[in-house]
Amino acid sequence: MIPNGKLRILPLGGLGEIGKNMMLIQYGREGIIIDTGIMFPENDMLGIDYIIPDFQYVVDQMAQGNLVVHGIIVTHGHEDHTGAIGHVLDAIPVPVYATALTAGLLEIKMLQFGHADHPLHVFKAGDVLTLGPFTVETFHVCHSIPDGVGLGINTPIGLVVHSSDFKFDHTPVDGWPPDFAKLAEFAQRGVLALLSDSTNADQEGWTPSEAVIDKAFDQVFAQAQGRIIVATFASLISRIQQVAQAAQRHNRKMAIAGHSMTEYIKVATKLGYLNLPKDLLVPVDRANKMPPHEVVIMATGTQGEPSAVLGRLAWGQHRQLEIERGDTVIMSAHPIPGNEELVHRTINKLIQRGAHVIYHPIAQVHVSGHARREELKLLINMLRPKFFIPVHGELRHLTQHSLLAQELGIPPQNIAVVENGTEIFLTPDRLEVGERVPGGYVFVDGKGVGDVGPIVMRDRESLGRDGFVSVLVLIDPHTRELLEPPEIISRGFVFWRDATELMIMAQELIAEVVRTHKQGNLTLAIQDALAKLFYTETKRRPMTFAFVREVRGEVVPV
Amino acid sequence: MIPNGKLRILPLGGLGEIGKNMMLIQYGREGIIIDTGIMFPENDMLGIDYIIPDFQYVVDQMAQGNLVVHGIIVTHGHEDHTGAIGHVLDAIPVPVYATALTAGLLEIKMLQFGHADHPLHVFKAGDVLTLGPFTVETFHVCHSIPDGVGLGINTPIGLVVHSSDFKFDHTPVDGWPPDFAKLAEFAQRGVLALLSDSTNADQEGWTPSEAVIDKAFDQVFAQAQGRIIVATFASLISRIQQVAQAAQRHNRKMAIAGHSMTEYIKVATKLGYLNLPKDLLVPVDRANKMPPHEVVIMATGTQGEPSAVLGRLAWGQHRQLEIERGDTVIMSAHPIPGNEELVHRTINKLIQRGAHVIYHPIAQVHVSGHARREELKLLINMLRPKFFIPVHGELRHLTQHSLLAQELGIPPQNIAVVENGTEIFLTPDRLEVGERVPGGYVFVDGKGVGDVGPIVMRDRESLGRDGFVSVLVLIDPHTRELLEPPEIISRGFVFWRDATELMIMAQELIAEVVRTHKQGNLTLAIQDALAKLFYTETKRRPMTFAFVREVRGEVVPV
């Protein structure tokens, strides 16, 4: 149970970014959860599929009767806000609330985790949700997926506004600008606290409108002689709409390559967020037979993923499509930090195959979905919150956002920059940073959720760097001689077939150790001796293991 | 032997970037080599220390009497131009030519490879080198290390200008602007071909002068209340000079942390490229005892390397120094693509420890050492070369540089965009792209040069992702029963101590396979069965190996 009369804001794990994937808002024993997202592994998190927030603390608090969760509100349909819904509902089976597009995308994930019948309530931006003691006024925000909402959370101690991921786009593709009126109304009523998106808090100026992309597309489409292939995120519905419109303006038909984008387009079209005229779309195999200058192909793979459509095109491994000299490829997305190498490799490969590749900074074929500093200032100054809590960004972004808020006159003691798992308490008069609750984030690897921990990760790192050597040592207990030359299996260390000299040295060393070993653990003695030999000879440190047995009798290889 | 009357330009391996690390210029059977650099491994090149160009083709041509190499000219002191000198001299022991600072840095590397007595000729920018049929006029260029040169190579068929890495800085820190007069003179004489730095060919405008950093430093130094820690590249001598001057302007003493920076400073100071007043420098342990606002500490580690000074500070593992609340850390470098994650992690960790971290784009505390588009245009238009060969960049940069040259009126057939290993032939009238010569690049891993190839790399990737399982299976040939429960060793797959159920399943499966096995290879049968079990149970694919023996007798574990 938390202290009386205090509102607790608890950003839950997630990697690097704070409060983005999952957040608990709690008053007394009553709470709501905002978002249930995943994060993608960093380059040195070998073998990890994705990462989910560690919400065990919430589960424990519920089990102990300290917390009742009245619902989960998902603010928009991006993976880092929706992707963990199945895992969360397994443990916290409470009603889910989302706008139509977000709900459509959540449904697919809930189905995969056997939660098809779980209560999923669809609301419209502007609707008011009553969840326990919280009256949540939803309001439309612009972002890089349609139908995102921010939240005006009326709590017993005052109004807390959560911006969600947003930008102030005056000319969005869907013609639905940000709900400034609602923000003004919040301001009139008085805002206790603002939680605001910090992703671009170190970027000066104002993020360009999605509309600028139309101009860039027109320029590229006008110049392209052959096919055009536009790669973007499957979820970037507005970009798909923009490509469709550019295709129509330039008399091209549009084909969709790839499963995930087809899925998103299906959901978005069904729900009315995407308008693709029937006579615009053609199947990929028909597009293949049309004159190149009449075709646009939409694809995924802007992050250099080798298994996505663009990756397969770059490496010449797509089933239906092949890059041809004269193709123009538009990379309509920025590399997510960490993906730069793969993205650049993909671009180089596409060029190698004869494509003309358009990417940032060559042309403005992508804009961010997140507000920059001038927009962040506008939001703060429209709402004039008493307390300010930067969220959705790494610590460095939150720090910059905090400095920006201070420039606008919010006193430092009214601002909390915390990391995931650190609770913030609000009263009408005070903001306090509380304890760090147990937990962090959880690796998902295949079927395993959380079973891969630091030890396995360290072993993977070591194996990835230097490989391993495994040996079988069978000894005659009477003579202390080897019953057979030790069999050695090694991978990732040296190319064993070329390393016969090293293998013979290893075998001789094992025989020597067995012969001269007096006391202690022989297996460890063999492993240590081999490790030293390998390091001396190669300056590498493969993991080294020995199976050692004494055999009274005869050994037959199988 | 190459065709009569043709000049061959052959960019040699190196990863991603073209013609940067090593290049052969050849006429008849006479050649020179430009630069002998290394590349750093990309994130998925597990365990690799560094990469060198594959120059075996050059060695073979020399052995066959088709090629005489008259010398190696190293254009400047960066690792990607100097780092492979030891490897190259092992195989191609020809004289080396470099300016004083470059030579000072080369000497250290040559010593490490036992080439301390190898002929290393020091020249000054402006000097003329005669190497076989080539008269090479060296000229000063500005770059992010002092004493870099470009080359005007007078060949039997005309003047070939190589820009080296350069920017047009009108106000460089060392007061030595680019040698425009020499470029003008080349233009008057007529330039057959220009090879020009493409690194920033996709960046609009003009790279800011190093001088802008003084202003940014002044602002940060004026505001900092506590210590200032400036991180930059050890080789960025001019930046160290700028920090020293800022320290003097703001009444701070300067300490140097880290071995490599101390080494560079020693060489640069001895040779007169760096001027650090005696009373400015203090040892780190004395700086530790001084009032924080009187101290600047220089450090390496801007790329997030965990073992560099800044990395150790971020993780609290430095022997002498510790980040304190109130410290200001200036990241005076951009992340090299691929290092973003590590750099951001380091920044976040420094903030966590209480430092105020200044990095791009928060303030202009770093500028690139490479020319942007307006500078590239200026160089082309000053020289008006007949042929144009973009170098020093990935394929995507070379492509943009080629388009830029075409905008300036150089016809496409007079431009060659090639990859490493592809030869270009020039005559006074024609440019031809020739064959691809054998070779690529070579991994250096510990003592091994080139022994880690695609198979070992693929195994490392697999081991890093899913680990391995190794089992010992000892069978009684009469009963077909196991003589002991199979011993299983596994790393990087699951946390084995928590996976007892899976281990028992594996042991039972092995017994079952042994019992029911009729024909074929029993070892493979066990491995296959285990691999299937592991995939079904975990959706992971550890490498799986079995040692299988029949034993007539008794087995004793050791």
Side-chain angles (χ1 to χ4, degrees):
Chain A
M1 199 86 92
I2 60 169
N4 262 342
K6 290 188 181 177
L7 184 78
R8 175 160 79 163
I9 296 171
L10 178 59
L12 286 159
L15 182 75
E17 291 201 89
I18 291 145
K20 177 151 202 157
N21 309 132
M22 194 169 179
M23 185 180 277
L24 173 70
I25 309 273
Q26 182 183 1
Y27 186 81
R29 52 196 292 278
E30 321 213 55
I32 54 174
I33 287 171
I34 301 171
D35 290 331
T36 56
I38 57 169
M39 287 296 286
F40 295 96
E42 301 193 346
N43 280 317
D44 55 2
M45 295 172 183
L46 302 171
I48 301 302
D49 297 330
Y50 58 93
I51 300 159
I52 60 174
D54 181 352
F55 43 77
Q56 190 56 43
Y57 173 76
V58 175
V59 175
D60 292 344
Q61 288 294 303
M62 291 170 71
Q64 291 163 24
N66 295 333
L67 173 63
V68 176
V69 175
H70 289 278
I72 296 167
I73 305 175
V74 181
T75 58
H76 63 283
H78 280 152
E79 291 278 343
D80 50 351
H81 297 261
T82 63
I85 188 72
H87 297 276
V88 173
L89 291 183
D90 283 348
I92 309 175
V94 300
V96 180
Y97 299 83
T99 59
L101 179 62
T102 310
L105 297 170
L106 281 169
E107 262 172 10
I108 300 170
K109 291 174 200 304
M110 286 163 67
L111 188 68
Q112 286 162 357
F113 276 78
H115 297 297
D117 298 328
H118 188 89
L120 172 57
H121 304 289
V122 176
F123 65 85
K124 279 200 280 295
D127 285 354
V128 177
L129 313 172
T130 305
L131 300 171
F134 305 106
T135 306
V136 181
E137 299 172 77
T138 65
F139 61 94
H140 177 65
V141 295
C142 293
H143 184 45
S144 41
I145 187 168
D147 218 9
V149 291
L151 309 173
I153 308 166
N154 295 280
T155 77
I157 61 156
L159 176 60
V160 174
V161 177
H162 186 300
S163 75
S164 183
D165 283 351
F166 84 103
K167 67 192 273 192
F168 282 144
D169 192 339
H170 293 298
T171 50
V173 174
D174 61 7
W176 192 0
D179 192 347
F180 290 109
K182 177 61 85 179
L183 295 173
E185 195 201 312
F186 286 154
Q188 278 169 4
R189 277 149 52 191
V191 174
L192 181 68
L194 168 63
L195 284 69
S196 179
D197 178 4
S198 312
T199 312
N200 280 345
D202 58 6
Q203 306 280 327
E204 288 296 341
W206 192 287
T207 295
S209 168
E210 300 287 324
V212 305
I213 290 168
D214 289 332
K215 282 187 208 155
F217 278 175
D218 272 342
Q219 218 163 4
V220 177
F221 275 59
Q223 283 172 6
Q225 306 288 321
R227 290 190 305 184
I228 297 173
I229 297 163
V230 183
T232 193
F233 299 109
S235 63
L236 226 178
I237 308 295
S238 62
R239 198 61 46 81
I240 299 169
Q241 187 71 62
Q242 286 177 295
V243 175
Q245 286 161 357
Q248 288 173 292
R249 286 197 298 274
H250 296 269
N251 300 312
R252 288 174 182 254
K253 300 290 179 190
M254 177 162 146
I256 314 294
H259 176 70
S260 62
M261 190 173 272
T262 306
E263 280 294 299
Y264 271 88
I265 287 176
K266 208 187 290 172
V267 174
T269 304
K270 194 178 80 182
L271 297 172
Y273 293 93
L274 190 57
N275 177 18
L276 303 181
K278 278 257 154 53
D279 66 341
L280 174 71
L281 288 176
V282 294
V284 170
D285 50 2
R286 204 170 118 220
N288 265 339
K289 291 176 202 136
M290 291 170 61
H293 67 278
E294 293 178 9
V295 174
V296 180
I297 295 164
M298 291 285 326
T300 54
T302 57
Q303 300 306 309
E305 316 90 309
S307 60
V309 175
L310 202 66
R312 281 184 279 151
L313 288 173
W315 269 263
Q317 288 169 348
H318 195 275
R319 206 167 36 85
Q320 290 179 288
L321 290 168
E322 213 169 316
I323 291 290
E324 288 157 21
R325 194 152 293 277
D327 285 346
T328 299
V329 176
I330 302 176
M331 303 286 283
S332 191
H334 294 154
I336 293 169
N339 295 343
E340 288 84 355
E341 273 179 2
L342 271 179
V343 172
H344 296 162
R345 235 186 262 175
T346 305
I347 292 173
N348 289 330
K349 280 276 170 193
L350 290 166
I351 292 172
Q352 217 177 36
R353 291 182 177 273
H356 182 49
V357 185
I358 310 283
Y359 60 98
H360 183 87
I362 293 172
Q364 189 145 36
V365 286
H366 180 63
V367 293
S368 169
H370 298 274
R372 289 197 196 155
R373 290 172 70 85
E374 291 307 314
E375 292 157 273
L376 299 176
K377 288 181 194 168
L378 181 57
L379 181 63
I380 293 172
N381 265 343
M382 285 186 79
L383 294 179
R384 296 307 308 164
K386 183 173 179 101
F387 301 115
F388 180 66
I389 302 167
V391 291
H392 295 196
E394 300 169 27
L395 199 48
R396 62 199 176 100
H397 302 118
L398 271 51
T399 305
Q400 289 305 310
H401 206 174
S402 160
L403 291 172
L404 176 148
Q406 291 175 47
E407 283 172 24
L408 303 190
I410 299 186
Q413 68 274 19
N414 286 10
I415 301 175
V417 172
V418 300
E419 293 188 82
N420 284 320
T422 301
E423 50 185 14
I424 297 166
F425 287 109
L426 291 185
T427 67
D429 310 307
R430 253 174 79 83
L431 171 151
E432 288 164 41
V433 173
E435 298 290 302
R436 183 144 192 158
V437 307
Y441 48 78
V442 174
F443 287 147
V444 179
D445 176 5
K447 281 193 184 173
V449 178
D451 70 329
V452 171
I455 293 173
V456 173
M457 288 309 291
R458 210 162 48 226
D459 288 347
R460 286 184 182 177
E461 201 189 308
S462 170
L463 288 166
R465 200 173 46 231
D466 291 320
F468 79 94
V469 178
S470 201
V471 300
L472 174 61
V473 182
L474 298 175
I475 306 166
D476 182 325
H478 303 298
T479 63
R480 305 302 299 163
E481 292 293 325
L482 300 179
L483 282 165
E484 57 174 36
E487 185 182 344
I488 302 180
I489 290 174
S490 170
R491 291 292 186 281
F493 165 44
V494 294
F495 190 54
W496 211 230
R497 229 180 293 163
D498 293 348
T500 37
E501 204 181 322
L502 185 62
M503 188 162 77
I504 292 165
M505 287 169 82
Q507 289 180 329
E508 284 172 357
L509 178 66
I510 292 168
E512 165 82 13
V513 172
V514 170
R515 208 175 302 125
T516 59
H517 185 73
K518 292 280 180 287
Q519 55 186 12
N521 184 315
L522 178 59
T523 305
L524 290 182
I526 292 172
Q527 290 178 173
D528 288 352
L530 285 177
K532 275 197 201 101
L533 171 73
F534 296 143
Y535 184 72
T536 310
E537 291 300 314
T538 66
K539 293 275 177 266
R540 299 176 200 167
R541 300 184 190 279
M543 292 186 129
T544 304
F545 307 94
F547 294 104
V548 183
R549 294 291 184 276
E550 290 185 3
V551 173
R552 296 194 186 92
E554 193 194 344
V555 175
V556 192
V558 181
Chain B
M1 201 85 92
I2 60 169
N4 262 341
K6 290 187 181 177
L7 184 78
R8 174 159 80 161
I9 296 171
L10 178 59
L12 285 159
L15 182 75
E17 292 200 88
I18 292 145
K20 178 150 200 156
N21 309 132
M22 195 168 178
M23 184 180 277
L24 173 70
I25 310 271
Q26 182 183 1
Y27 186 82
R29 51 197 292 278
E30 321 214 54
I32 54 173
I33 287 171
I34 301 171
D35 289 331
T36 56
I38 57 169
M39 287 295 285
F40 295 97
E42 301 194 347
N43 279 315
D44 55 2
M45 295 172 182
L46 302 172
I48 300 304
D49 297 329
Y50 60 92
I51 300 159
I52 59 175
D54 182 353
F55 44 77
Q56 190 56 43
Y57 173 76
V58 175
V59 175
D60 292 344
Q61 288 294 303
M62 290 170 72
Q64 290 162 24
N66 295 332
L67 173 63
V68 175
V69 175
H70 290 278
I72 297 168
I73 305 175
V74 181
T75 58
H76 62 283
H78 279 152
E79 291 277 346
D80 49 352
H81 297 260
T82 63
I85 188 72
H87 297 277
V88 173
L89 291 183
D90 283 348
I92 309 175
V94 300
V96 180
Y97 299 82
T99 59
L101 179 62
T102 310
L105 298 169
L106 282 169
E107 262 172 11
I108 300 170
K109 293 176 198 301
M110 287 163 65
L111 188 67
Q112 285 162 359
F113 276 77
H115 297 298
D117 299 327
H118 188 89
L120 171 57
H121 304 288
V122 176
F123 65 86
K124 279 201 280 297
D127 285 355
V128 177
L129 312 172
T130 305
L131 300 170
F134 305 106
T135 307
V136 181
E137 299 172 77
T138 64
F139 60 95
H140 177 65
V141 295
C142 293
H143 184 45
S144 40
I145 187 168
D147 219 8
V149 291
L151 309 173
I153 308 166
N154 295 280
T155 77
I157 61 156
L159 176 61
V160 174
V161 177
H162 186 300
S163 75
S164 183
D165 284 350
F166 84 103
K167 67 192 273 191
F168 281 145
D169 192 341
H170 293 299
T171 50
V173 175
D174 60 6
W176 192 1
D179 192 348
F180 290 109
K182 177 63 82 177
L183 295 173
E185 194 202 312
F186 287 154
Q188 278 170 3
R189 276 150 51 191
V191 174
L192 180 68
L194 167 63
L195 284 68
S196 178
D197 178 3
S198 311
T199 311
N200 280 344
D202 58 6
Q203 306 280 327
E204 289 295 341
W206 191 289
T207 295
S209 168
E210 300 286 325
V212 305
I213 289 169
D214 288 333
K215 283 186 207 157
F217 278 175
D218 272 342
Q219 220 164 0
V220 177
F221 275 59
Q223 282 171 7
Q225 305 289 320
R227 289 190 305 184
I228 297 173
I229 298 162
V230 184
T232 193
F233 299 109
S235 62
L236 226 178
I237 307 295
S238 62
R239 197 63 46 81
I240 298 169
Q241 187 71 64
Q242 285 177 297
V243 174
Q245 286 160 358
Q248 288 173 292
R249 287 197 298 274
H250 296 268
N251 300 312
R252 289 174 182 255
K253 299 290 180 191
M254 179 163 145
I256 314 295
H259 176 71
S260 62
M261 191 173 274
T262 306
E263 279 295 298
Y264 271 89
I265 288 176
K266 208 187 290 171
V267 174
T269 304
K270 193 180 81 184
L271 298 172
Y273 294 94
L274 189 58
N275 178 18
L276 303 182
K278 277 258 154 52
D279 66 343
L280 174 70
L281 288 175
V282 294
V284 170
D285 49 3
R286 203 172 117 218
N288 265 337
K289 292 178 201 134
M290 290 170 63
H293 66 276
E294 292 180 9
V295 174
V296 180
I297 295 164
M298 290 286 327
T300 54
T302 57
Q303 300 306 308
E305 315 92 309
S307 60
V309 175
L310 202 66
R312 282 185 277 152
L313 287 174
W315 269 263
Q317 289 169 347
H318 196 276
R319 205 167 37 85
Q320 290 179 287
L321 291 167
E322 213 169 318
I323 291 290
E324 288 157 22
R325 193 153 293 278
D327 284 347
T328 299
V329 176
I330 302 176
M331 304 285 285
S332 192
H334 294 156
I336 294 168
N339 295 345
E340 288 84 354
E341 274 179 2
L342 270 180
V343 172
H344 296 162
R345 234 185 262 174
T346 305
I347 292 174
N348 289 328
K349 281 277 169 194
L350 291 166
I351 293 173
Q352 218 177 36
R353 292 183 176 272
H356 182 49
V357 185
I358 310 284
Y359 60 98
H360 183 86
I362 293 172
Q364 190 145 36
V365 286
H366 181 64
V367 293
S368 168
H370 298 273
R372 290 197 194 153
R373 290 172 70 85
E374 291 307 314
E375 291 157 274
L376 299 176
K377 288 181 194 167
L378 180 57
L379 181 63
I380 292 172
N381 264 344
M382 284 185 80
L383 294 179
R384 296 306 308 163
K386 183 175 180 100
F387 300 115
F388 180 66
I389 302 168
V391 291
H392 297 196
E394 299 170 27
L395 199 49
R396 62 199 176 100
H397 301 119
L398 271 51
T399 306
Q400 289 304 312
H401 207 173
S402 160
L403 291 172
L404 176 147
Q406 290 174 47
E407 283 171 25
L408 302 190
I410 300 186
Q413 69 273 19
N414 286 11
I415 301 175
V417 171
V418 301
E419 293 188 81
N420 284 321
T422 300
E423 51 185 14
I424 297 167
F425 287 108
L426 292 184
T427 67
D429 310 306
R430 254 173 79 81
L431 172 151
E432 289 163 39
V433 173
E435 298 290 301
R436 182 145 193 158
V437 307
Y441 49 78
V442 174
F443 287 147
V444 179
D445 176 6
K447 280 193 185 173
V449 179
D451 69 330
V452 170
I455 293 174
V456 174
M457 288 310 291
R458 211 161 48 227
D459 288 346
R460 287 184 181 178
E461 202 188 309
S462 171
L463 289 167
R465 201 173 46 231
D466 291 320
F468 80 94
V469 178
S470 203
V471 299
L472 172 61
V473 182
L474 297 176
I475 306 166
D476 181 324
H478 303 297
T479 63
R480 307 301 299 163
E481 292 293 324
L482 300 178
L483 282 165
E484 58 175 35
E487 184 182 345
I488 303 181
I489 290 173
S490 170
R491 290 292 187 282
F493 165 42
V494 294
F495 190 54
W496 211 231
R497 231 181 291 163
D498 292 348
T500 38
E501 205 182 320
L502 186 62
M503 188 162 78
I504 292 166
M505 287 169 81
Q507 288 181 329
E508 284 172 356
L509 179 66
I510 293 168
E512 166 80 13
V513 172
V514 170
R515 208 176 302 125
T516 59
H517 186 73
K518 292 281 180 285
Q519 55 186 13
N521 185 317
L522 178 59
T523 304
L524 291 182
I526 292 172
Q527 290 179 172
D528 287 352
L530 285 176
K532 275 196 199 102
L533 171 73
F534 295 143
Y535 184 71
T536 310
E537 291 300 314
T538 66
K539 294 275 177 263
R540 300 176 199 167
R541 301 184 190 278
M543 292 187 129
T544 304
F545 307 94
F547 293 104
V548 183
R549 295 289 186 279
E550 290 185 1
V551 174
R552 296 195 186 93
E554 192 194 346
V555 176
V556 191
V558 181

